[in-house]
Amino acid sequence: MATHTRRIKWMPFLVPLLAVLFSLLISAIIILLIGENPLTAYFEMFKGAVGSRLSWADNITKMTSLLLTGLAVGFGFRAGVFNIGAEGQMTVGGIMAVFVGINMGNVPSVIAIPLTMTAGIIGGAVWASIAGFLKAKTGAHEVISTIMLNWVAYHLSNYLVAGPLAVGQGVPKSPEIAESAQLPPLITVQASTVPSGIIVAIVAAVVVYIILQRTTMGYELKAVGYNPYAAEYGGISISKNIVLTMAISGGLAGLAGSVEVMGVYHRIFGAFTGDRGFDGITIALIGQNNPIGIIFSAFLISSLRAGSNSMQSVGIPDDIVTIIQGIIILFVAADRIIKTLITRTQKNKKPSLEGGEDK
Amino acid sequence: MSWLEAIFTSLTSPLFYKLTILSALPLVFAAIGGVFTEKTGVVNIALEGIMKMGAFTSVAFTYITGNIWIGLLAGIISGIILAGLHAYVSIEWSANQIVSATAIIILAQGIVGFLMVPVFGQEGQSDFVSKIPNIKIDFIRDIPFIGEIFGNISLFFYLAVFVIVASWILIYKTPLGLRMRAVGENPKAADTLGVNVKGVRYFGVIMSGVLASLGGIYLALGDLGQFQEEMPAGKGFIALAAMILGNWNPIGAMWAALLFGAAEAMNIQLQTLLELPSEAKALLNLLPFILTLVVVGGFVGRTRSPAASGEPYEKE
Amino acid sequence: MSSNPDLNKKDYAVFMEKITKEFPRVLANDKVDLKVKKGEIHALIGENGAGKSTLMNQLYGLYKPTSGEIYISGEKVDIEGPKDAIKKGIGMVHQHFMLVDNLTVTENVILGSEETKRGILDIKKARKEVKELSEKYGLKVDVDANIEDIPVGMQQRVEIIKTLYRGADILILDEPTAVLTPQEIDEIFEIMDKLRKDGKTIIFISHKLHEVMQISDNITVMRLGKVTGNVSVKETNEKQLANMMVGREVVLRVDKKPKEPGDVFVKVDNLKVRDNRKLEAVRGISFEIKKGEILGVAGVAGNGQTELVEALTGLREIESGKYFYNGKDVSNYNVRELRELHITHIPEDRFRYAMVQEYPNYYNMIMGRHFKEPFAYRGFLNHDEIYKYSEKLIKNFDVRPADITQNTGTLSGGNQQKVVIAREVSAEPEFIAIAQPTRGLDVGAIEYVHNEILNLRDNNVAVLLVSMELEEVLSLSDRIIVMYEGQIMGEVKPDEVTVEEMGLMMAGKKLKDIKMSTELESHGGDK
Amino acid sequence: AIMVTDTGGLGDKSFNDGTWEGLLQAEEELNAEVDYIISKEQTDYVGNLTNAAQDADVVVAVGFLMADALFNVAPQFPDTRFIGIDISPSEGQTVPSNLALYIFKEEQTSFLAGYLAASMTQTGTLGYVGGIRIPPVLRLEIGFRSGVKAYNQLHNTNINVLTGYVGGFGEPAKGKQMAMSQYQQGADIIFHAAGASGNGVIDASREIGSDYYGISPNADLKTVIDAYYAKGTGYFSIGVDSDQDYLAPGYVLTSAMKRVDQAAFLGIRSARSARAFQSGLNVLGFNQDGVGLSPMKYTKGMVPSSVFAEIAYLRTLVESGEIVIADTDETFGSFDVSNVEFPF
Ligand SMILES: Nc1ncnc2c1ncn2[C@@H]1O[C@H](COP(=O)(O)OP(=O)(O)OP(=O)(O)O)[C@@H](O)[C@H]1O
Ligand SMILES: Nc1ncnc2c1ncn2[C@@H]1O[C@H](COP(=O)(O)OP(=O)(O)OP(=O)(O)O)[C@@H](O)[C@H]1O
Ligand SMILES: [Mg+2]
Ligand SMILES: [Mg+2]
């Protein structure tokens, strides 16, 4: 039997890599068209992303919440749930972290930090569980309910920071959480810090990976995601697992909220999530819903965004970076295009049908 | 005025019904657009991005040419192009449709942001341009109650009525519609009967581009006469919810949009009629979202999506 | 073997020459020749995965041959796609139904060949035409019903009407009898015969050799992607066909040793169960199964058997009545609780219910026990044990390819079934409910499965065997109940009942009424 | 001087653009070198401010969302002077000595807007549409209602204000519907403090107004004014933050402006002299030309001069401190100007 499509082991890495490359190429044309030099632009972008300690701090700060919301959405996808509500869950997570964090004044960090963080996780988990519960009990589509819950969370947080939680005159914002509840910075570069939240986020990714790959819980969640009928037949409760999936997914988004509060802002204000919940969808899908892949995709997007600020300094509009992101994601979606190109170049190299040169 | 009085006053005033329709209009277009694409088995969560692009392009071309009809046409074409891109990668390259649609949303945002200053000379929003005029029909205006609702109403209202009726007929009464439903449910079965699966899917996705862009154009050129970069401010996603709540049926989508619109209208009317602390008024804005949650959770429950929705169809 | 060299390509409705079809990792057809004469019923048989469907899909334009040529009525053709095939007068009824669930029968039939009146579907006319067709060939269908609401037998008939509606002269029927009852099969054969008399050519794929012998004129046998034989029905017999298919001697009769059953183990008392549409599907039935006994359940599909099995395995709520297991009332225990009590289940729709297609074989092999030692410990999966266990099962049950890491969904249908059977049989059952265990399997696999079922019995397992294959029920069961409209028509021993009596019970006659009328007859009541 | 925008970006025709105008003014009048950096998301602020601080001796930050970032970055660069526009410290927060903050007495400008609206209404009902209920918006609301209250006290009228909150700054469609609802309920002049949502309010005034006058919505200013005089009544909106009168000439009665350009210019000017730098919180009111009504380029002719006289007089009272405008719900309750006597 002839095997004529050889499996290329590093395909999972090659595809996103080439997606980035192609997008940069296409965007280079746009940059040329507006009369700028793409090489300078990309050099600046690179510098802005990883070129200095300051850019690393900026980059990692962005990456932390992206990674967590990416995990949240990706986890849901693995279990067959489209959690479009990470945004709202992150908001509620942040709110809960503030509620607990501001009361941690006399509590030592060893207790205050886990307590505040847990509050965020629970907040997000409970918020998401509403959608999970509705889906399990009445079949209400999670896309509807999470979208609605996003709006509810949004209005709620606006209400809180301007009303019951408000401090100060000009700014609708909550008070700062107690110092003991703040995440200590890993590294401080001038006013920028590399927040230790990144460690929390990476640990979360590893935990999610283990849950999915190594535990019976993961086995059951994935089974429900792939084929709920089979899961039920195998003695796996669908409704329990849907609620559980939503809770974990929302918990991760809630963690994103609390880490952002504890490590970056130390408080909430209206719309403090900055669309991270929606970014999570992108991150999850670029990372192919794989926790380890999501670490890389979060870093990719955070680097692009950090780099875009520096690109401005050489006259490139910030929107170019948004366009680059769009093109990258388009190529990730249509990874076939790239795979076809790869196999075509492979074939040109050795135009025979026979495989066998796999080493 | 008490709450009950306010609710009663509101329900008996023609304005409540007019506001309901106005809130529902953009959702109706986009949600039926969603119905078209998902009926053929392609998920398109990029309604939001297409609406934005349609809104932007229509105002941009109106601004440049001074002609609203060119603006309208350009807006629709922009929707077709974006949806066409989504269709191309989804249908030809079996792209993950959610990823692709996400890319479309981001692209729309990037392109619009990039073009704001070159086109309008400013970010954030355009100047006011002339907008698509309302249709005033005198004999309708003279009818009590009804006249206040429909006597002076956007052209898009009539367009929406046409779209609702026409899409229902198209989907449920024509060969193309039958093929759409078959392709979205079981593309392989349709294929074995010689139905052009790809062609039908292209049609569905492109129609979603046309309709979603109309939703955006209504907001910008039909309602406000201005483009704002934040448009459509989440309405594309609410439309997605309306499509699901309407069980992937144009009439259902219309009812879902009207439900949402009615809640919004009630919120607005209550704020006007009631003397409440400003906190309470701010919180009244939750009404449409909570009502939708209650309706979907408590009354509607399970909806049935086209079985092959979201799945690429490949031969061999 | 008869391949007549004198005949011209023109005399064949279908002439496929040296067809080769490669899939990424499989050579599905290897220089296959198929010659089908005009107006004949030509049977195509072979093991699971032999390449029958693949060959036919190429004839229907769904796949493009890697190489080889196709002639229709002597004319060389290049079939671009199904549309093209339909134009050339080819119709195909696929192994897996190609029906759109939420459309009506009429809509399914006209799809792709719709007629319109001023741009609007002319459903009225279409209904009439479909009705006429169904009457002409005796294919009873409810033209207005949604596909998802009609029984499989009717779905099968809809598939045939679909091809006739398009005016097909060459009909490909890929395993049309796999899911039908004996009565329905007889009906289909009558229709096929009628079609043959109308001058239509039929290619008929089946695993049931007696059917092949009964209806076809010529037979092509395939094995491992190649043609291994080409015979006329008159010159062959079942045994020879079986050997050609499998490449070895096959025992077509099961060898059941007599055995004294043990104590009553499963007891069902006045059980009532509702179906998905909330109608009562099981209407108060009672029976017992002893240890080491096979209780057969015969009946036409849709008479409550599925719901009964689902109720006994925890998948469906028991409306009323009692379900005792080993003396304990286990009514409405959930699936997991019942599995913990060593109740296992081979469901009817294995592809949908019994496996996660996207999971590798090693995961599917432990489904249902995935949380128990040795496969898991304190919530963590023990992959070493899982691998070891599934290697063993794959070897024991001869799943091909013998690769535990392959996703189950990528196996051939027959091998997917083996995975399910292997798992459920090896899960140390004390009571096993088996539904349609050999549906779609080739003779070699059937032989294997039958032996496994008998082994269970001999190991003192209580077995509930639901099958529409009368022969299967009769040869395997120790006792048989016949279900009709959710009730038991009678309980019989396989050696004390005639096929006719079974047939009458399946059609809704109570056993005691049948006995009475036969008595009347023998006492000369009917003169 | 380098300006760091908030996520609104340059070209927002609002705070960022206004501030940039202040910088340009400084370039012209003070020979300052000016540049800007646009922030796209909240996490950009710290990095952008840091980069700016490395390159310039004066850094201007725009928008209250930058408050925390600014308070973190400023101490890192003691030799650089920072100016925060529309930024105030939190309770108990000490302002670094190299940081000057500028906020506005929004209630002062909306007070005049309220008084003007009350003078102009023919129906005795006014409207107010807010965006999100945040402190500056709330101050605008209370200032507006204070203006109406003042008019009621001084003229013995009983004009009331219908209020509503859109719940967002980017939902013009909803803003418009809210305005339609208030107009229908009797309001003829609506003040908005709703950002881009308020454009819907402005559009509603034009749509309903032109329909009422029986003229085209695109009719020129003269036609609008003639129609207003012919009818004797009309429909108006009132803009906010910048001069929005031009958005719908003849329909936008006035705009309650917040002069961020002035703040930026004052800030840069003070930062460039060694001694005059006013670090800490600066609250700009009428006195510093930090707030005020728009010049009413299109609508001046519609307003009786007696109204302008009253407004000018009230403004002097506020400037001299004789009247303190309410800016909270509590102070609103006790706000009382009934003892004021116009000298004419
Ligand atoms: N689309 C496909 N891609 C890859 N391999 C395929 C595909 N379709 C069939 N095969 C493989 O080709 C071989 C022949 O399959 P085919 O379905 O033709 O068998 P069959 O004779 O119809 O078997 P059965 O009796 O089980 O229906 C099998 O090994 C199968 O796994
Ligand atoms: N709304 C406010 N929020 C915070 N601080 C304020 C506010 N109003 C006044 N202050 C503080 O009080 C100080 C003195 O205010 P004062 O009103 O005398 O100043 P002003 O410039 O004369 O203003 P006005 O125009 O109202 O007369 C201000 O510099 C400021 O620090
Ligand atoms: Mg921009
Ligand atoms: Mg087959």
Side-chain angles (χ1 to χ4, degrees), chain A residues 318-319, chain B residues 113 123 229:
Chain A
D318 52 291
D319 303 287
Chain B
E123 288 217 28
E229 229 179 311

Side-chain angles (χ1 to χ4, degrees), chain B residues 316, chain C residues 23 26 28 47-54 63 95 175 207 412:
Chain B
E316 291 194 24
Chain C
F23 287 117
V26 192
E47 281 180 298
N48 294 122
K52 307 178 293 290
S53 300
T54 304
Y63 297 159
Q95 181 170 2
E175 298 197 31
H207 288 294
S412 81

Side-chain angles (χ1 to χ4, degrees), chain D residues 229-241:
Chain D
Y229 276 117
K231 286 270 185 187
T233 60
Y235 289 92
F236 296 98
S237 52
I238 296 176
V240 79
D241 290 344

Side-chain angles (χ1 to χ4, degrees), chain C residues 249-428:
Chain C
E249 291 280 322
V250 186
V251 192
L252 288 173
R253 288 231 131 264
V254 290
D255 180 22
K256 189 173 77 176
K257 293 178 217 77
K259 181 175 186 306
E260 249 335 287
D263 301 335
V264 170
F265 195 62
V266 176
K267 189 166 180 291
V268 166
D269 193 15
N270 200 20
L271 199 73
K272 290 187 179 167
V273 183
R274 290 183 187 277
D275 66 11
N276 287 343
R277 282 176 289 172
K278 301 275 171 247
L279 304 174
E280 208 159 81
V282 175
R283 294 152 63 174
I285 69 175
S286 310
F287 59 80
E288 297 173 353
I289 313 174
K290 302 191 183 73
K291 277 195 164 169
E293 181 187 45
I294 299 178
L295 177 70
V297 179
V300 177
N303 277 290
Q305 301 97 315
T306 312
E307 287 79 7
L308 170 65
V309 170
E310 286 177 354
L312 297 184
T313 52
L315 284 166
R316 193 172 283 278
E317 193 188 342
I318 293 173
E319 176 93 356
S320 69
K322 287 272 182 281
Y323 170 23
F324 295 99
Y325 175 78
N326 201 6
K328 187 167 152 196
D329 183 357
V330 294
S331 314
N332 283 327
Y333 273 36
N334 66 30
V335 176
R336 184 164 288 189
E337 287 163 341
L338 292 173
R339 282 189 173 269
E340 292 276 338
L341 294 169
H342 296 267
I343 298 178
T344 70
H345 175 201
I346 299 174
E348 189 178 350
D349 188 345
R350 287 169 275 272
F351 307 101
R352 186 169 163 122
Y353 286 98
M355 66 197 154
V356 175
Q357 307 234 358
E358 294 85 350
Y359 266 170
N361 287 325
Y362 61 78
Y363 269 179
N364 272 312
M365 285 295 191
I366 58 158
M367 184 123 162
R369 293 201 295 160
H370 55 271
F371 56 94
K372 296 178 66 158
E373 283 186 57
F375 310 125
Y377 183 67
R378 295 195 172 176
F380 283 86
L381 295 170
N382 185 342
H383 280 98
D384 287 341
E385 288 295 332
I386 295 172
Y387 296 152
K388 233 189 313 176
Y389 179 75
S390 27
E391 292 279 10
K392 193 177 81 190
L393 258 54
I394 283 209
K395 195 137 67 160
N396 288 353
F397 287 77
D398 190 26
V399 178
R400 280 181 259 177
D403 177 2
I404 59 165
T405 62
Q406 192 163 340
N407 282 358
T408 309
T410 64
L411 298 183
S412 81
N415 281 299
Q416 293 185 0
Q417 295 213 52
K418 281 194 197 165
V419 170
V420 175
I421 293 169
R423 174 186 65 216
E424 296 302 308
V425 164
S426 310
E428 297 161 8

Side-chain angles (χ1 to χ4, degrees), chain B:
Chain B
M1 204 181 276
S2 77
W3 280 80
L4 272 180
E5 265 179 281
I7 291 173
F8 180 77
T9 312
S10 160
L11 285 176
T12 49
S13 84
L15 187 69
F16 169 78
Y17 299 95
K18 182 160 184 172
L19 294 182
T20 298
I21 291 170
L22 292 184
S23 291
L25 270 184
L27 302 179
V28 165
F29 286 110
I32 294 181
V35 171
F36 266 91
T37 167
E38 295 218 354
K39 270 282 181 227
T40 65
V42 181
V43 167
N44 184 0
I45 63 163
L47 299 175
E48 176 87 4
I50 296 173
M51 286 174 89
K52 177 178 295 238
M53 199 70 198
F56 169 80
T57 313
S58 67
V59 173
F61 274 78
T62 306
Y63 181 78
I64 294 166
T65 65
N67 185 322
I68 43 174
W69 306 110
I70 294 178
L72 175 71
L73 194 71
I76 294 174
I77 291 172
S78 78
I80 293 177
I81 292 172
L82 272 194
L85 186 60
H86 179 54
Y88 174 72
V89 296
S90 302
I91 298 169
E92 303 293 344
W93 294 97
S94 304
N96 178 320
Q97 294 163 11
I98 294 176
V99 189
S100 159
T102 310
I104 300 290
I105 296 177
I106 293 173
L107 269 180
Q109 193 183 322
I111 294 171
V112 167
F114 180 64
L115 292 176
M116 280 306 289
V117 174
V119 174
F120 297 120
Q122 63 191 63
E123 288 217 28
Q125 59 192 44
S126 75
D127 282 339
F128 276 107
V129 296
S130 50
K131 53 184 177 182
I132 293 176
N134 280 1
I135 306 288
K136 296 176 194 172
I137 302 177
D138 284 335
F139 80 87
I140 297 184
R141 283 190 107 164
D142 295 340
I143 309 171
F145 205 86
I146 304 285
E148 287 189 54
I149 305 175
F150 301 109
N152 175 9
I153 199 161
S154 170
L155 169 71
F156 282 79
F157 166 73
Y158 294 98
L159 195 57
V161 172
F162 171 77
V163 164
I164 293 163
V165 175
S167 57
W168 184 80
I169 292 175
L170 179 76
I171 293 174
Y172 292 102
K173 295 289 163 201
T174 69
L176 181 57
L178 178 64
R179 292 173 187 204
M180 284 171 61
R181 285 179 287 146
V183 163
E185 196 69 22
N186 189 344
K188 188 144 195 210
D191 190 13
T192 60
L193 294 177
V195 171
N196 181 349
V197 174
K198 280 187 180 180
V200 171
R201 288 196 162 180
Y202 267 112
F203 173 75
V205 184
I206 299 284
M207 280 305 291
S208 79
V210 171
L211 292 173
S213 65
L214 276 175
I217 297 169
Y218 165 70
L219 284 173
L221 201 58
D223 186 42
L224 188 63
Q226 181 191 41
F227 174 72
Q228 298 186 355
E229 229 179 311
E230 274 192 56
M231 278 178 177
K235 291 200 176 55
F237 288 102
I238 295 173
L240 206 63
M243 167 196 77
I244 299 170
L245 188 55
N247 211 359
W248 287 269
N249 176 319
I251 309 286
M254 174 196 76
W255 286 119
L258 283 175
L259 168 81
F260 193 87
E264 194 74 289
M266 184 54 79
N267 159 33
I268 288 169
Q269 287 283 67
L270 289 182
Q271 288 203 37
T272 302
L273 294 171
L274 289 171
E275 269 191 54
L276 294 172
S278 50
E279 292 98 310
K281 291 197 174 176
L283 281 180
L284 257 177
N285 285 303
L286 287 172
L287 187 67
F289 309 109
I290 290 178
L291 184 76
T292 307
L293 259 182
V294 169
V295 167
V296 68
F299 300 99
V300 176
R302 205 167 302 279
T303 48
R304 184 182 186 285
S305 74
S309 182
E311 280 169 29
Y313 176 65
E314 301 163 72
K315 295 189 171 187
E316 291 194 24

Side-chain angles (χ1 to χ4, degrees), chain A:
Chain A
M1 269 179 244
T3 331
H4 52 90
T5 38
R6 283 177 305 113
R7 292 239 252 183
I8 299 170
K9 284 215 184 66
W10 21 273
M11 198 73 119
F13 290 96
L14 198 60
V15 170
L17 209 74
L18 285 174
V20 174
L21 224 68
F22 285 144
S23 325
L24 290 181
L25 271 175
I26 294 176
S27 312
I29 298 172
I30 304 176
I31 295 176
L32 275 175
L33 284 177
I34 59 168
E36 300 287 341
N37 182 347
L39 286 179
T40 353
Y42 288 154
F43 179 68
E44 281 299 323
M45 182 161 105
F46 185 78
K47 266 199 341 204
V50 292
S52 67
R53 281 157 56 87
L54 192 67
S55 37
W56 274 103
D58 189 20
N59 194 336
I60 299 296
T61 304
K62 291 179 198 298
M63 176 183 169
T64 304
S65 52
L66 288 173
L67 172 50
L68 284 168
T69 54
L71 284 175
V73 179
F75 186 85
F77 273 128
R78 288 299 282 272
V81 185
F82 185 9
N83 180 10
I84 205 166
E87 186 73 21
Q89 293 141 21
M90 182 176 172
T91 306
V92 175
I95 293 173
M96 290 299 292
V98 165
F99 271 123
V100 173
I102 51 178
N103 292 312
M104 288 290 120
N106 298 317
V107 182
S109 285
V110 277
I111 299 171
I113 287 179
L115 218 57
T116 310
M117 207 175 273
T118 311
I121 295 174
I122 292 175
V126 167
W127 202 246
S129 300
I130 298 174
F133 183 81
L134 288 178
K135 185 180 171 81
K137 285 295 157 217
T138 72
H141 204 296
E142 74 273 16
V143 167
I144 310 181
S145 39
T146 51
I147 288 175
M148 297 304 143
L149 285 166
N150 280 346
W151 285 97
V152 176
Y154 167 78
H155 285 291
L156 218 56
S157 75
N158 275 333
Y159 166 76
L160 286 173
V161 293
L165 273 181
V167 289
Q169 277 303 303
V171 196
K173 63 187 177 189
S174 77
E176 284 205 356
I177 57 172
E179 205 149 322
S180 60
Q182 299 176 4
L183 280 174
L186 277 184
I187 304 164
T188 305
V189 191
Q190 291 161 342
S192 304
T193 58
V194 177
S196 45
I198 188 64
I199 295 178
V200 177
I202 287 176
V203 168
V206 173
V207 169
V208 169
Y209 180 83
I210 291 173
I211 290 180
L212 285 172
Q213 300 302 326
R214 299 265 166 249
T215 67
T216 50
M217 189 206 274
Y219 179 98
E220 298 196 348
L221 291 171
K222 284 187 290 178
V224 171
Y226 286 131
N227 183 350
Y229 299 104
E232 190 180 9
Y233 156 90
I236 299 168
S237 161
I238 297 176
S239 41
K240 187 191 105 190
N241 276 287
I242 285 177
V243 178
L244 187 65
T245 300
M246 269 316 229
I248 293 177
S249 176
L252 286 163
L255 179 62
S258 55
V259 164
E260 197 83 338
V261 164
M262 296 164 68
V264 185
Y265 302 126
H266 302 152
R267 63 163 112 246
I268 55 165
F269 38 87
F272 79 99
T273 52
D275 272 354
R276 285 293 190 260
F278 289 109
D279 293 337
I281 303 172
T282 313
I283 307 281
L285 292 168
I286 295 182
Q288 323 229 315
N289 300 327
N290 175 325
I292 307 304
I294 289 170
I295 297 181
F296 287 101
S297 64
F299 181 67
L300 170 70
I301 298 295
S302 63
S303 300
L304 278 173
R305 294 196 181 168
S308 81
N309 289 328
S310 310
M311 260 167 70
Q312 279 186 44
S313 66
V314 290
I316 311 290
D318 52 291
D319 303 287
I320 289 282
V321 172
T322 313
I323 295 177
I324 295 178
Q325 268 182 53
I327 300 176
I328 292 179
I329 296 165
L330 202 62
F331 273 117
V332 169
D335 53 359
R336 290 277 176 93
I337 298 180
I338 290 168
K339 282 181 185 157
T340 309
L341 283 173
I342 296 173
T343 35
R344 248 186 230 154
T345 44
Q346 292 278 335
K347 266 187 200 155
N348 289 346
K349 261 193 245 158
K350 198 157 197 186
S352 81
L353 276 183
E354 256 60 54
E357 63 257 57
D358 266 15
K359 303 240 157 81

